[in-house]
Amino acid sequence: MIFNRDISWLGFNERVLQEASMPEVPLMERIKFLAIFSSNLDEFFRVRFPAVTTLSSLSSKLRKRTIPPINKYLAKEVKSIVDKQLQSLGNILNAQLLPALEEKGIMLYYNQPLNEQHKPAIKEIFLTDILSFIQPIYINKDFTANFIPVNDQPYFIVTIHDDPKNIFKQVVVNIPTDNLSRFFKLPAIDGKNYIIFIDDIIRENMDYLFPGFSINAISSFKISRDAELVFEEVLGNDIIEEIEKKIEKRKQGKPSRLLIEKDMPPSVQLYLKSIFKVKDEELFEGGRYHNLKDLISLPVTGEEFYYPQQQPLPYLQINHYNELFDLVKQKDRMLHFPYHNFNPMLCFFNHAAIDPEVRSIHVTLYRIAPESHIANALISAAKNGKKVVVFMELKARFDEENNIKWTKRMKSAGIVIINNIQNLKVHSKIALVQKDDSAYAIIGTGNFNEKTARLYTDHALLTSNPDITEDLKNLFSCLQGKDCKNQLKNLTPKEILISQVNMLSEFEKSIKNQISIARKGEPALIRMKMNNLEDYGIIQLLYKASRAGVKVKLMIRGICCLIPGKKYSEQIEVKRIVDRYLEHSRIFIFGGGDNKKTYIGSADLMTRNLFYRIEVATPVLTPELQNEMEDYFELQWNDNVKAVSLDKTQALHYAVPDNDSVKLISQNAIYDYLQQKIS
């Protein structure tokens, strides 16, 4: 028995929304969590909800063959959960966040009458800044052929009336948030600063768009579209052209959600449903304003509104281009982001680009920064005459355009680009620098991306271990081959774990080893931290471990299909942390004491990662770093403020500390722990 993955993911997003309701969290950070919840939900409807509705409509026979079996009411269950969460969002915003802003002298107009003193300024903004971007489109027989709503872009539908002719017309009016700011500041009144949505500026001045007509109703709406790209797998350069075509088609994907203003007239609702061919389960009622993800850009400044700045720790100070490689040659080094400064990662590539002893650089890139320092370093290396080989994964969802841009730039600089393996994504986070007499590697849990490294928790092992570097050399050779999938079968890595090769078998072996230990009556322990746990085989094996008496601790940020706390899973606990940084790292620790085996890597334990991607995990071989990773995990496990436990119904439970217990916020504690290790 396992949980449905989509219901589980909605539970994660609920935890994000909970953070927006926490009074102890700085006010703009609470608003940011509400915005993240909204953004996450939009992505769910672009990527997952189309699959939910499709699965719900399968025949009974087919639904019973899925794992877990699909309830024919799954789409309705999802709709019910989302409706409740949206209701909760409205309550948090209206009853907590907006009053808290007002207490600080900041007034955000939100579904309320406008102050007469502001109307001249609002008209001026409309006429000078906004009007030129407004494009009313009348709904007529050619409407659906000429108008395709932009995915997740807010619009108005306006009912206008020509009094002399007694003719009613429907008009769609865009809200140009793709061209302009969502928010505008207004003059202060009585010492209070006012902010207004662009939506309300347009509503207030809608008469300018329809001279000679009266306006009967104005309602907001937006369409979410299926944005999942399905590729006809082709080889060579054709993949770029295919993906560019698919990106364009994504903009015209089948509607997966029609989100409407709650007070939209029923006749207009039916009209929109008919026009866009939306089913009942795809119609959702929201508030007056859509795309609350834009609240993340609310123009509010001041240190009191945000978390105190946490300066990245200056681990591995590098002054000379060869110094980093010398430090790694001395012993393995582990970086923990965003607690550690990202500079050593940049130095790894920057220094390799100019080091005269470096012969080649190999790296896999999945998501890189729009203005990537690492990509520029690779270009410099190629121009310096070094062999540079980059596997650029063009099928990284929503990063396709950025990755295509960098593919073209790097290829023109002489870099060898590999960017397609049929029916596989390369999701590993690996880099290899070959010098005259030695090799140096990075194996990480997160992307080579200096931007997200400030926001996501990740780990990166820097090593010159010859077995690990040889394993990576062989893997890169395989990635460059014409028949990579078959060549993978011939790999025999000494240390690293590779999906498609030995990752699943080694993880299963490690779990079974703990089962054997438990059956001997000895303490047995499995600790895992990841984004998602979904693979049916792994879950069944963890259930088996629980029945044998193995203590299983799982830190799962998002999807968790395993059910803890049942008769067959009493020894399994599942926790989830949401805090200022997005938990993104993957850690696997089997056993305890001096006999523990520790891995970090790019893979979640999902079927897609284990069977349809190339992922890499590395053992942590030095006792010092093994203990460091264990301490890191246990600090998170003992979090009694930001961690919640999941029960057998997927309900979230906060810790209830004793009166004498000290509050432990793990992200703060980890920063302090790493700071002490440096000093």
Side-chain angles (χ1 to χ4, degrees), residues 137-357:
I137 299 176
Y138 286 77
I139 299 179
N140 53 36
K141 62 183 178 63
D142 299 321
F143 174 74
T144 54
N146 297 330
F147 174 66
I148 299 174
V150 176
N151 204 349
D152 280 333
Q153 180 75 16
Y155 294 89
F156 291 121
I157 182 166
V158 184
T159 304
I160 61 175
H161 181 216
D162 184 336
D163 292 314
K165 298 180 181 179
N166 198 28
I167 296 175
F168 288 87
K169 294 183 179 181
Q170 303 284 357
V171 188
V172 168
V173 176
N174 63 313
I175 302 174
T177 56
D178 51 343
N179 304 107
L180 301 170
S181 171
R182 187 74 189 275
F183 304 101
F184 288 81
K185 290 183 177 181
L186 296 173
I189 297 176
D190 297 332
K192 292 186 176 181
N193 297 304
Y194 284 78
I195 301 170
I196 188 170
F197 280 85
I198 189 175
D199 315 39
D200 285 333
I201 297 176
I202 298 170
R203 279 183 191 262
E204 175 66 16
N205 293 280
M206 197 71 78
D207 287 341
Y208 279 93
L209 303 179
F210 308 108
F213 289 83
S214 58
I215 295 175
N216 288 62
I218 304 173
S219 304
S220 60
F221 75 94
K222 77 171 183 178
I223 292 284
S224 298
R225 298 182 178 279
D226 184 351
E228 190 68 293
L229 302 185
V230 179
F231 300 104
E232 297 173 10
E233 294 289 349
V234 293
L235 295 174
N237 294 334
D238 292 342
I239 187 67
I240 293 179
E241 184 178 345
E242 185 199 349
I243 290 175
E244 288 175 328
K245 289 178 180 177
K246 292 287 186 180
I247 291 170
E248 284 303 308
K249 288 186 177 180
R250 173 187 275 162
K251 300 173 183 177
Q252 303 175 29
K254 182 180 178 294
S256 58
R257 172 182 59 167
L258 170 59
L259 182 62
I260 62 171
E261 185 175 339
K262 184 177 180 181
D263 296 328
M264 179 181 287
S267 60
V268 179
Q269 292 184 33
L270 291 171
Y271 196 43
L272 287 179
K273 280 180 61 180
S274 173
I275 289 171
F276 298 119
K277 296 180 174 58
V278 171
K279 302 171 186 174
D280 288 342
E281 61 267 26
E282 296 168 339
L283 177 67
F284 290 78
E285 287 188 350
R288 180 182 174 99
Y289 310 93
H290 307 312
N291 284 11
L292 292 183
K293 61 187 176 186
D294 292 339
L295 285 170
I296 206 164
S297 63
L298 196 68
V300 174
T301 57
E303 292 182 0
E304 64 177 306
F305 294 106
Y306 298 90
Y307 286 122
Q309 275 202 333
Q310 202 174 66
Q311 291 297 326
L313 299 170
Y315 180 54
L316 293 182
Q317 296 276 27
I318 314 299
N319 298 311
H320 185 264
Y321 70 80
N322 213 31
E323 190 173 355
L324 174 63
F325 298 117
D326 289 341
L327 289 170
V328 174
K329 197 166 189 175
Q330 292 170 14
K331 63 178 182 179
D332 288 356
R333 309 284 178 161
M334 185 75 76
L335 293 166
H336 308 278
F337 306 118
Y339 311 106
H340 282 145
N341 198 302
F342 197 72
N343 285 349
M345 295 285 277
L346 299 178
C347 288
F348 184 87
F349 294 98
N350 288 334
H351 294 176
I354 60 173
D355 189 333
E357 295 181 4

Side-chain angles (χ1 to χ4, degrees), residues 51-115:
V52 168
T53 55
T54 299
L55 290 170
S56 299
S57 64
L58 292 175
S59 67
S60 175
K61 184 177 180 180
L62 288 175
R63 281 189 283 104
K64 289 178 181 178
R65 293 184 62 182
T66 62
I67 300 176
I70 297 294
N71 186 321
K72 69 177 180 179
Y73 301 111
L74 176 61
K76 291 182 179 179
E77 185 178 358
V78 166
K79 187 177 189 317
S80 176
I81 292 170
V82 171
D83 283 340
K84 289 177 182 176
Q85 290 181 346
L86 290 174
Q87 182 68 38
S88 179
L89 179 150
N91 292 338
I92 292 170
L93 185 57
N94 286 292
Q96 298 180 37
L97 300 180
L98 295 178
L101 280 172
E102 188 173 351
E103 286 180 11
K104 299 293 184 179
I106 300 168
M107 307 291 293
L108 174 63
Y109 278 118
Y110 195 86
N111 199 20
Q112 63 196 95
L114 302 178
N115 191 308

